[in-house]
Amino acid sequence: MGKGKIKSSSAASDVLRQKEDREEKGIKNLQYLVDFALKFSEAMLSAGANLERVNDTIYRICDSYDCRETHFFSLNCYLTLSLEDSEGNHAGSQRCVRGGMDTHLENLSKLNQLSREICANTPAPRDLEGLLAETLRTDTYSTQVRLLGFMIAMTCLTLIFGGSWKDIITVLLNTVLMYFASIYLKKPGVNRMVFNIFCTFMAGTVAIVMSKIGLVDDIYIVMIANSMMLIPGIPMVNAFRNLLCGNEINGMLEILKTMLETVAIVGGFVLSIFLIGGLIPW
């Protein structure tokens, strides 16, 4: 009689232990999935994705892992995710998006492909972050190649705007200065509006000085061409798309942000004119 009770008690404790182990494993896997989803969302936003695409991707990934409840809230600067699996386990976390958007269409394409592979194959949740890190390990172009690309683009824009070879020389000089300024000022995390004012003030000052010594035919063409490096085109498109697709809060915030960044571009040129404009007649 006593031995039967001991055996039944031992069997019950084993069953309970197995249940606890399954719950603990389920919670860990769910937390792995939450952490991956937030990092994946941040990577997509940083690469230039709009919120509609990010939301759709996260819901698809979570559905592929049989999550019963998925609650995802996203802004361009803040993400929060809460999941419940089919066994009733819960996990959630939140994440602030740092660094802002640095459009990288190649990374975005690879992230989209990774999301499709995850939905199709559902690898182990603990392996997801490794797959993400491997995907983001992209070979980047050298400084010389990137700078050459900017210089070719600025030369073409100057010609389109009707600039002369003198204007092209000044535009290219400003392009080099603005490119290296972007490298050194992005590391400390300088506000984008401050960065725009600094770059356009520098470009405007160079244009005014070069005009004074006779190396610029049309200073307005130089300023307009150099401003094209800083215009937030993709963020503005994403902002209006968010507004039209139901993400009104983020759409309004992004529209305001891109407008302020655009005003900052003009502000830098205006500041250079007020401070150094006495060198040339206006």
Side-chain angles (χ1 to χ4, degrees), residues 92-106:
S93 187
Q94 54 191 2
R95 189 177 185 88
C96 292
V97 180
R98 298 179 180 179
M101 180 185 291
D102 186 13
T103 304
H104 198 309
L105 297 182
E106 183 180 359

Side-chain angles (χ1 to χ4, degrees):
M1 189 78 173
K3 291 182 180 180
K5 288 183 177 180
I6 292 174
K7 287 183 179 180
S8 62
S9 176
S10 176
S13 63
D14 289 342
V15 172
L16 182 61
R17 191 180 302 111
Q18 291 175 2
K19 182 180 178 181
E20 291 175 349
D21 290 342
R22 285 197 303 269
E23 289 180 355
E24 183 178 356
K25 183 179 179 180
I27 293 173
K28 282 185 177 180
N29 286 336
L30 207 58
Q31 192 61 52
Y32 282 135
L33 183 58
V34 168
D35 293 340
F36 163 77
L38 292 177
K39 291 181 180 179
F40 189 88
S41 302
E42 181 178 9
M44 289 191 73
L45 288 173
S46 299
N50 68 299
L51 280 179
E52 181 190 9
R53 177 62 180 169
V54 174
N55 293 345
D56 181 67
T57 300
I58 295 305
Y59 278 107
R60 287 177 181 273
I61 290 175
C62 294
D63 289 343
S64 68
Y65 282 88
D66 297 325
C67 292
R68 187 164 61 190
E69 293 286 345
T70 301
H71 301 283
F72 182 53
F73 176 77
S74 59
L75 295 174
N76 276 358
C77 58
Y78 177 78
L79 304 166
T80 180
L81 176 63
S82 176
L83 298 179
E84 179 184 351
D85 64 13
S86 57
E87 297 180 359
N89 300 314
H90 294 82
S93 187
Q94 54 191 2
R95 189 177 185 88
C96 292
V97 180
R98 298 179 180 179
M101 180 185 291
D102 186 13
T103 304
H104 198 309
L105 297 182
E106 183 180 359
N107 272 354
L108 186 57
S109 176
K110 290 186 175 182
L111 289 169
N112 288 330
Q113 180 61 33
L114 176 62
S115 69
R116 288 189 284 269
E117 292 176 357
I118 290 174
C119 291
N121 303 321
T122 57
R126 65 178 178 273
D127 298 332
L128 292 176
E129 289 194 25
L131 294 174
L132 176 60
E134 184 178 349
T135 299
L136 294 177
R137 201 177 295 120
T138 306
D139 293 333
T140 57
Y141 294 106
S142 64
T143 299
Q144 293 83 354
V145 173
R146 291 167 63 91
L147 182 57
L148 178 62
F150 276 114
M151 293 175 73
I152 293 174
M154 292 300 103
T155 299
C156 293
L157 283 173
T158 306
L159 292 174
I160 291 172
F161 295 147
S164 65
W165 66 269
K166 291 182 180 180
D167 299 331
I168 291 174
I169 292 175
T170 304
V171 168
L172 292 180
L173 176 59
N174 281 334
T175 299
V176 173
L177 293 175
M178 292 167 68
Y179 177 77
F180 284 105
S182 69
I183 293 177
Y184 291 107
L185 291 180
K186 279 184 179 179
K187 291 180 180 178
V190 175
N191 182 276
R192 185 72 185 182
M193 288 185 289
V194 176
F195 171 75
N196 287 352
I197 290 176
F198 173 80
C199 284
T200 52
F201 173 77
M202 176 177 62
T205 300
V206 171
I208 291 172
V209 173
M210 296 291 277
S211 176
K212 181 64 177 179
I213 62 179
L215 290 179
V216 168
D217 289 331
D218 193 326
I219 195 171
Y220 299 107
I221 290 179
V222 174
M223 291 183 175
I224 293 172
N226 282 130
S227 69
M228 294 295 105
M229 286 185 67
L230 304 174
I231 296 295
I234 293 179
M236 178 66 79
V237 172
N238 286 342
F240 278 102
R241 181 170 179 174
N242 288 332
L243 190 64
L244 297 174
C245 292
N247 297 312
E248 291 87 358
I249 296 177
N250 196 78
M252 292 298 295
L253 290 174
E254 286 303 303
I255 289 174
L256 178 61
K257 180 173 178 287
T258 53
M259 289 179 64
L260 290 175
E261 290 176 0
T262 305
V263 170
I265 294 172
V266 179
F269 285 124
V270 171
L271 189 61
S272 67
I273 292 170
F274 271 106
L275 295 180
I276 314 180
L279 293 176
I280 60 173
W282 291 92

